[in-house]
Amino acid sequence: MATPSPGYAITVRVEAPSSSTATSGLAAAVSAAGGALTALDVVESFADRLVVDVTCDAVDSDHAESITKALTQVAGVTVRKVSDRTFLIHLGGKLEVNPKVPLKHRDDLSRAYTPGVARVCLAIAENPEDARRLTIKRNTVAVVTDGSAVLGLGNIGPAAALPVMEGKAALFKQFAGVDAWPVCLDTQDTDEIVSIVHALAPVYGGINLEDIAAPRCFEIEARLRELLDIPVFHDDQHGTAIVVLAALYNALRVVGKSLDSVRVVVSGVGAAGHAIIRLLAAQGVTDIVACDRRGAVHAENGEGRDEFRRWIAQNTNPRAATGSLREVLSGADVFIGVSGPNLLTGEDVATMAPDAIVFALANPDPEVDPIAAREHAAVVATGRSDFPNQINNVLAFPGFFRGMLDAGAHHISDAVMLAAARAIADAVGPEQVNASYIVPSVFDPEVAPAVAAAVKQAAQTS
């Protein structure tokens, strides 16, 4: 699992003697330290010395320091500066606002601003629905978080969550042309969050809830959907569920099994697990066993839990299976993990049914080592970008919101989410699908338009 990643890329500027072996010695030092060299650039050259930028990927921050130390130990080499390439792209943030109209002279100003803008304001006051036509509302989404469940980092607060929300907004624009903006709230009170989002909604055509801890996220989403006439979508729930179902469609094609006949075990009953279970059930999966830290969730142990876990207890596990995750995994066709790292081993996967499917989605460290899982399972997927079959929400949410905005719809039904999942799955053609390619690349330019078209049609129909 410990492989170098661009997420820990560094550029080390060094001075080295101007010998014929200078650069090869630097490359050898990086390799010996376990780094992945990606570039070696001579930026200055003198009669007696060279200035070289050594760029490489590391496993983590400690490994980056080890690589830097290894470079200092090369004869005659001095390290001038170390730059963390991830921090560099975040300097000053990742977003900016650009006007869509020219503002070059007095006439432009008179139309875009005062006095001409007053006529547009009065038109909207007379007919509020014109706000979608005459303002940014029709193409703008608020990416809302309270910072309580950020990535795998936990409750780190709204300011620390901002880089993630910026990235989310950038993905909206890049893949679907949607203008999104981070809204990081300095409160984790449910009533206050609902009140704030309700109050700021007139600016936006949609609300994307992000990284809000369960079970609070369920109530926030439900209440906002009742209050607002724009789509409210919790990506950690529904975006994950859509892409998981899309991947499962194609994984089952690989192994020749059907949704209505497979036994599925889901590890994790938080936001993502709950949404995955509901969407699988809506698509006809009848044998689902959900597991939390105490093991299998079933009708007898569902009392005393929040209403969402009670729903899982009452609507899954038809065989009344009991026991630990390892125990209920035996004989299962599909494992879906949205919980925590290193819960299973390859030997546990070996107890599953023949041609098993394993989706180990905990990030950055999955529930089971993908390499070990692949020794026993027919299809393995993770949430990581350095393994095949990356199940990534970016396949869903840009196109999903594009479709909802274009439809002018706000009701997010199971039919709409199923349409999105099918569109993602169908982006992998019959001649392409195989055990290492069950979902399209996140950079496939055809995915977001296909999802948008499917969502728009389903939203208008429903």
Side-chain angles (χ1 to χ4, degrees), residues 427-444:
V428 180
E431 73 287 351
Q432 297 175 302
V433 67
N434 60 60
S436 296
Y437 193 64
I438 58 171
V439 287
S441 165
V442 297
F443 296 105
D444 186 335

Side-chain angles (χ1 to χ4, degrees), residues 322-338:
T322 61
S324 68
L325 171 62
R326 284 189 170 91
E327 290 170 328
V328 298
L329 188 66
S330 178
D333 297 285
V334 179
F335 169 75
I336 300 172
V338 279

Side-chain angles (χ1 to χ4, degrees), residues 231-258:
V232 179
F233 184 84
H234 186 201
D235 187 50
D236 300 313
Q237 292 183 66
H238 310 302
T240 303
I242 287 167
V243 183
V244 165
L245 180 56
L248 187 55
Y249 281 143
N250 285 338
L252 291 172
R253 289 166 62 190
V254 172
V255 299
K257 299 180 182 181
S258 61

